[in-house]
Amino acid sequence: MHTPPEITAKSWLSISLLGLIWGSTFLVIEIALEGITPFWLAAWRILIAAVLTSVVWGLGGWRLHLSEDRDWRGLLLFGLLSASLPFQLISWGQQSVTSAFAGVSMASVALIILPLAHFFLPNERITPRRLGGFIIGFIGVMVLMGPQLFASTGESAEWLGRIACLLAAGCYASSSIILRRLPPIDAIGVSALPLVIGAVFAITAAFIVEGPPLPVDGKTAVALAVLGLIPTAGANLLRVQVTRTAGPVFMSLTSYQVPLWSMIFGVLLLDEPFDNSLVISLSLILAGVGVSQYHGIKKLLSGSKG
């Protein structure tokens, strides 16, 4: 029923680009949170992305299912778990946790996906090499965060914020498995429709929790537009394509890049001090990727030589 994952040079380029995009997202979220409440941040972000992708989808003829198979329940769950719930959880959780913890929680997506893929995707079994590589990569992320990982913000709701971030990671992992299990489906359609579904739930939740939306200043509006257009609309389409072709386990390697890029942006844009842990972490993450994807890299290199 499910074809084996096909990992190509395009797949590697795609997850590298996604790591770069999502690594900068936490910085933009922090800027946006200065002028908007967390639930409305998530709602506007998803709504902007839903409108943009729906326009593109409409121009392509509103194609969705590419075969007689249908899985509307899967599409609904994918919309909730990939767009609505995790964005709300992250926006709310980032108010009371350190950026280091938020980064590590996103890195945990890769480890959560491994057992899920093993049981629900016949072509994505856990192997000792794959497990070892993912653990090495996760250690690299923890080295990157260093003592910050155990630092506390002092907020009374910090423990709830940490749970929210970990639940968001679980949402991302579960949605990737659901996406891979969906029947043949148009990439733009499966990017747009879940965002529309997510927008409905996100806006409803924002009204219930925070009341009607308040006006925002120009700086916040720009941050919301960036969040909606790039890491949500554009990156979501790219994520769908990679997950459907290369598989969720390969796609999850992006989660190790996100905190790394987040730290690099902090050094370059926020004048945060450069630490040797950045180099050590990068080495461990690359080693982990190399171990877990050894056969794929070997095949890719042998193909490029030929």
Side-chain angles (χ1 to χ4, degrees):
M1 180 179 176
H2 302 289
T3 59
E6 183 181 356
I7 300 171
T8 64
K10 183 180 178 181
S11 306
W12 285 101
L13 180 61
S14 295
I15 66 165
S16 299
L17 181 58
L18 283 170
L20 175 63
I21 292 172
W22 285 334
S24 64
T25 301
F26 291 104
L27 177 61
V28 184
I29 289 175
E30 291 291 341
I31 294 171
L33 282 172
E34 295 174 4
I36 192 171
T37 50
F39 275 75
W40 274 111
L41 186 157
W44 281 116
R45 173 184 179 181
I46 300 170
L47 179 61
I48 292 170
V51 170
L52 177 64
T53 52
S54 294
V55 170
V56 177
W57 185 26
L59 292 174
W62 304 106
R63 294 194 313 161
L64 186 59
H65 293 101
L66 302 179
S67 71
E68 295 300 318
D69 293 334
R70 302 287 188 270
D71 187 358
W72 294 107
R73 185 177 66 174
L75 276 173
L76 177 62
L77 280 173
F78 178 63
L80 287 173
L81 297 177
S82 68
S84 179
L85 283 178
F87 291 166
Q88 291 169 339
L89 289 166
I90 291 171
S91 296
W92 187 82
Q94 274 196 257
Q95 295 182 113
S96 55
V97 304
T98 62
S99 59
F101 184 86
V104 168
S105 65
M106 291 303 99
S108 68
V109 171
L111 295 180
I112 297 172
I113 279 181
L114 275 181
L116 290 177
H118 180 81
F119 288 107
F120 293 104
L121 298 174
N123 296 307
E124 298 271 9
R125 301 297 186 189
I126 294 177
T127 64
R129 185 191 297 276
R130 176 175 281 179
L131 179 61
F134 275 76
I135 291 175
I136 292 171
F138 189 74
I139 292 172
V141 174
M142 297 185 71
V143 169
L144 176 67
M145 300 308 173
Q148 303 175 69
L149 179 59
F150 305 100
S152 173
T153 60
E155 297 281 345
S156 59
E158 184 176 14
W159 67 278
L160 288 173
R162 291 183 174 183
I163 291 175
C165 288
L166 291 173
L167 286 174
C171 287
Y172 283 131
S174 301
S175 68
S176 292
I177 301 298
I178 294 170
L179 176 60
R180 178 65 177 169
R181 288 177 59 88
L182 288 175
I185 201 161
D186 181 72
I188 297 177
V190 80
S191 298
L193 187 58
L195 283 172
V196 172
I197 295 169
V200 171
F201 281 94
I203 292 170
T204 302
F207 265 106
I208 293 173
V209 177
E210 298 173 346
L214 298 174
V216 297
D217 56 29
K219 179 182 177 182
T220 304
V222 170
L224 289 174
V226 170
L227 286 171
L229 295 174
I230 301 175
T232 310
N236 189 55
L237 177 58
L238 197 56
R239 176 201 174 198
V240 166
Q241 293 174 328
V242 173
T243 304
R244 294 286 287 177
T245 56
V249 173
F250 179 79
M251 175 62 212
S252 71
L253 294 173
T254 307
S255 62
Y256 288 156
Q257 300 176 57
V258 171
L260 187 64
W261 278 112
S262 180
M263 189 73 73
I264 291 172
F265 279 119
V267 172
L268 295 178
L269 301 180
L270 301 179
D271 295 324
E272 293 180 354
F274 177 83
D275 195 280
N276 290 332
S277 63
L278 191 62
V279 177
I280 299 172
S281 174
L282 176 61
S283 302
L284 285 170
I285 290 173
L286 289 177
V289 170
V291 170
S292 65
Q293 299 296 320
Y294 173 76
H295 293 298
I297 294 173
K298 184 178 179 181
K299 182 179 178 181
L300 185 66
L301 291 175
S302 61
S304 62
K305 289 177 182 178

